[in-house]
Amino acid sequence: MTRKLGMDPEHVLALSSRLTAQVGRLDVVAAQVDEVAWASLNPVSYAIQPGGLVIAPWAIVGTQVAAARVRQAADDAAVLASSLVFQVLQQQAASAAAGSSPFSVPSVRGMLVDAVLRDPRLLGAMTAGQVAAWWASLSEAERSRLIEKHPLLIGNTEGVAYADRDRANRLALDAMLADKSIGGGQRGALEAIRDAIDEAKKRGEPVQLMILDFPKGADPRAAIAYGDLDTASSIGILVPGMNNTVEKSMVSLGTAAYNLYREQSILLAKAGSGESPAVVAWMGYQTPGAFPDPAVLREERAQVGAGYLAGTLGGLCSTLGPNPHLTVFAHSYGTRVATYALSEGASADSLVMFGSPGIAEGVNSVTDLRVEPGEVFATRADADRIAGLGLIGSGNLDPTGPRFGATPFSSEGSSGHDGVDDHGMLLAEDSNGKQQGYMDSGTDSLRDMALIGLGRGGQAE
Amino acid sequence: MKVRHRAAVTGAMLVVGFMLAGCQTDAREGTNMTADEARAEMLQHLDAVTNVVGSEWADRYEPAKFSCGLSQGEGQQWTADREGSISGAAQVAASAVAEYLDARGFEVRTRENSSTDIDVIARAPNGLDIQFGAVDDGFAYVSGQSVCVPRE
């Protein structure tokens, strides 16, 4: 096998043009600051507040915008610089070793650990596959140093072993819960995550905190997995629909994930199998509110969510390889998220859509999705009025319709208490009494989902 | 912590006695029960089911309390989950469990996943859920979810 010694010219040129663009952005900011400086000479720019305080509103806003742009440009430039550092390290490794992994050279591996400790943004310059290879090469002590120094970053980097992500995220969660300056919605989200983990403990089940993320200007993101992602024979990702947040929904989404996990565990135990499943309660995107929130009628939240979901799916493939059977279980608006993700690069072994009010624009049949042939399944209960309303007159494609080509399965049940009679994932109680959701224990829909997630979709009815 | 449950002959006899006497579950509205009453009711039926089936059972976890939804707000309910094994046909064990629950006013459905793999899914009028499943000469489970009661 030949190895390239020296940088890939095309890659260097691409990085160079991106750096040039960053410098251009700094020029724009400099011009903006100049403009603010000139404006400060104009008496009209000033105002007097009650109490006699003299302010310059335009200048304040202008300098704040400029400062934000400088910080963004500096961040982007740092990631690009880290990318170059990583390229150099790879070249050094390639020069030093004939082996297939650059990380088999202890000095290079150690250099990369030190570089990440100094500047964690270096991880952003590596693919999930590169991170997985590097992480697998580290000693326990090296992993611990990185986790303790940068818990949130390590906890949310695709390619890091899931047990280590869990350790890192729990460190970060504990630290944030102990931080009394954190309040409001962020504290509510943290407490909901803690409660969901506590519920898993009450059930005596292993649980991993897979994602703990607080993106600027958007809802917190989190994901909790029942089971052990690193060793599971099957992994299900549960993608919720509208009107959910970490604060409001992490516990109930965890219960739905547990129901599926437990059903799969029972199926495996009945078969005498020693394998074990994992199911992820993936509150990984900012869902739209319920109608009349206009966001629920638009595509943006689904498209942004699809990017996050693609990251999670890609990370699982890169970290674990092709062995676990990977299934996306998408509910309601989550079917839009999933179909965008699976039509734009991400892939899964199976896809289950339930209670869908319509899927991604441009996806017309199962062949538009990167899912194994015959492994796209869909159901919608007759009594699910919300999903039904979403389909009426909207032009949205119904994934349970024959034109789409998914394999239908029933959510009606065969007696009074086992059919789905609501739009929700889980049982709710209203003035008419208990209403069964798609993922309630004892429903045929839950059993069929469990079978599909284990790669036994042929037995779903 | 795993807790062992051995089906005692006396327990089985008591259950049979109850069955013969045609005892019915008290069909109270769940929302009138306390959390302790809801827990006791659920465990009583789980114990009875394991006694009907016989064999050894282990708790997957200590019976635990979770939040649940009521029309008037958040409530609480107990759940429990036990595993064991049966010797003999799943059909026989499932029939005995279904008969016991049916006699107590549960709405019972038997799901035959195959001739050797049977589930019994039952709901009491007050909303208490009991689920049992087994395969021939192999794995068995029984789980319960109590009625949802208002927080105390």
Side-chain angles (χ1 to χ4, degrees):
Chain A
M1 189 178 75
T2 57
R3 283 190 167 277
K4 274 186 281 189
L5 294 177
M7 307 284 282
D8 174 353
E10 282 185 19
H11 187 73
V12 173
L13 283 174
L15 285 176
S16 163
S17 60
R18 284 165 64 191
L19 279 167
T20 305
Q22 297 304 330
V23 172
R25 283 168 64 182
L26 288 171
D27 273 345
V28 170
V29 171
Q32 190 177 0
V33 172
D34 266 347
E35 212 175 322
V36 170
W38 280 109
S40 68
L41 299 176
N42 183 349
V44 180
S45 301
Y46 294 89
I48 299 175
Q49 277 194 327
L53 184 65
V54 178
I55 59 166
W58 189 86
I60 291 169
V61 173
T63 48
Q64 282 175 335
V65 169
R69 285 180 179 164
V70 167
R71 277 196 290 273
Q72 185 62 50
D75 277 354
D76 292 348
V79 169
L80 291 171
S82 294
S83 176
L84 282 168
V85 169
F86 179 66
Q87 297 286 320
V88 170
L89 286 171
Q90 272 198 312
Q91 294 298 323
Q92 284 178 329
S95 306
S100 58
S101 168
F103 308 118
S104 57
V105 182
S107 60
V108 172
R109 192 173 67 230
M111 260 193 295
L112 195 48
V113 170
D114 290 340
V116 173
L117 283 168
R118 275 196 310 275
D119 184 358
R121 287 171 296 195
L122 179 55
L123 283 177
M126 297 165 72
T127 65
Q130 288 168 333
V131 172
W134 171 63
W135 194 261
S137 74
L138 299 182
S139 68
E140 185 57 37
E142 287 169 325
R143 291 180 182 201
S144 292
R145 279 174 66 204
L146 289 158
I147 287 170
E148 283 158 21
K149 183 80 186 288
H150 302 298
L152 261 185
L153 187 89
I154 298 297
N156 295 282
T157 294
E158 302 298 349
V160 173
Y162 291 97
D164 291 324
R165 285 178 64 166
D166 174 52
R167 185 153 62 108
N169 281 332
R170 289 204 204 204
L171 262 182
L173 178 68
D174 289 346
M176 293 168 88
L177 281 167
D179 183 349
K180 301 295 181 202
S181 72
I182 296 176
Q186 190 166 344
R187 174 156 294 277
L190 292 167
E191 288 174 351
I193 294 164
R194 179 200 58 200
D195 292 347
I197 291 172
D198 286 348
E199 293 220 335
K201 282 183 196 161
K202 284 198 277 185
R203 295 180 176 115
E205 297 294 348
V207 68
Q208 292 175 330
L209 182 49
M210 183 194 200
I211 297 172
L212 178 67
D213 184 23
F214 295 87
K216 282 177 190 162
D219 286 348
R221 302 171 59 243
I224 291 170
Y226 272 88
D228 183 343
L229 289 165
D230 291 312
T231 60
S233 56
S234 67
I235 295 174
I237 310 289
L238 190 50
V239 182
M242 65 183 183
N243 211 20
N244 286 294
T245 64
V246 171
E247 181 176 6
K248 192 165 65 176
S249 317
M250 199 69 243
V251 170
S252 58
L253 194 63
T255 299
Y258 170 73
N259 286 353
L260 181 58
Y261 168 82
R262 177 67 181 133
E263 193 75 24
Q264 291 185 325
S265 299
I266 287 170
L267 286 168
L268 289 169
K270 279 181 171 176
S273 165
E275 294 180 339
S276 57
V279 179
V280 180
W282 191 82
M283 196 58 252
Y285 78 110
Q286 185 171 13
T287 71
F291 189 80
D293 179 357
V296 76
L297 303 174
R298 296 203 296 258
E299 303 298 303
E300 289 87 350
R301 297 280 175 90
Q303 288 166 337
V304 173
Y308 283 127
L309 181 59
T312 296
L313 294 172
L316 286 163
C317 290
S318 299
T319 311
L320 305 173
N323 283 336
H325 188 93
L326 188 55
T327 302
V328 176
F329 295 91
H331 176 233
S332 189
Y333 187 86
T335 60
R336 266 179 202 275
V337 178
T339 44
Y340 270 119
L342 293 169
S343 63
E344 294 175 356
S347 62
D349 295 306
S350 305
L351 168 64
V352 177
M353 292 182 275
F354 53 108
S356 174
I359 58 174
E361 285 179 3
V363 175
N364 297 311
S365 84
V366 293
T367 56
D368 293 329
L369 301 171
R370 293 185 62 184
V371 178
E372 294 295 311
E375 287 294 323
V376 178
F377 297 84
T379 190
R380 176 165 51 84
D382 288 344
D384 180 349
R385 290 183 296 274
I386 292 176
L389 277 173
L391 293 164
I392 295 170
S394 63
N396 291 341
L397 184 60
D398 178 2
T400 64
R403 189 159 64 94
F404 184 67
T407 305
F409 65 99
S410 172
S411 43
E412 302 307 326
S414 54
S415 74
H417 63 82
D418 57 358
V420 173
D421 47 14
D422 189 18
H423 178 66
M425 277 192 195
L426 294 176
L427 181 145
E429 184 150 331
D430 69 2
S431 53
N432 298 318
K434 280 187 170 181
Q435 292 196 319
Q436 200 98 280
Y438 287 96
M439 302 194 73
D440 271 311
S441 179
T443 55
D444 284 354
S445 53
L446 179 69
R447 179 184 159 77
D448 285 344
M449 287 189 213
L451 285 165
I452 295 164
L454 295 176
R456 292 160 54 182
Q459 295 172 40
E461 294 170 344
Chain B
M1 187 180 69
K2 302 284 184 192
V3 180
R4 290 275 161 195
H5 295 267
R6 184 154 189 88
V9 175
T10 49
M13 287 171 69
L14 273 173
V15 169
V16 171
F18 272 103
M19 290 170 75
L20 291 174
C23 292
Q24 296 290 311
T25 298
D26 184 359
R28 287 170 295 183
E29 273 299 311
T31 49
N32 293 333
M33 297 175 83
T34 66
D36 285 346
E37 286 171 337
R39 179 180 189 273
E41 182 195 40
M42 177 192 69
L43 292 178
Q44 173 207 333
H45 288 299
L46 284 192
D47 290 344
V49 166
T50 53
N51 282 332
V52 164
V53 175
S55 184
E56 287 193 352
W57 295 81
D59 279 338
R60 273 178 67 84
Y61 55 84
E62 290 286 324
K65 197 159 53 174
F66 295 93
S67 61
C68 52
L70 289 169
S71 52
Q72 64 268 38
E74 191 173 295
Q76 53 189 350
Q77 67 184 160
W78 291 86
T79 69
D81 208 341
R82 296 175 186 172
E83 289 182 353
S85 59
I86 62 164
S87 53
Q91 185 72 65
V92 172
S95 295
V97 171
E99 192 178 341
Y100 164 80
L101 293 169
D102 185 57
R104 273 142 194 87
F106 282 74
E107 184 183 355
V108 179
R109 179 172 72 112
T110 300
R111 183 168 66 193
E112 282 196 35
N113 305 308
S114 71
S115 59
T116 60
D117 175 355
I118 318 281
D119 290 319
V120 176
I121 299 152
R123 175 168 292 169
N126 68 356
L128 162 66
D129 287 324
I130 301 287
Q131 196 170 329
F132 167 82
V135 288
D136 285 5
D137 294 311
F139 176 80
Y141 74 95
V142 59
S143 61
Q145 192 171 61
S146 84
V147 61
C148 184
V149 300
R151 287 193 175 277
E152 290 162 356

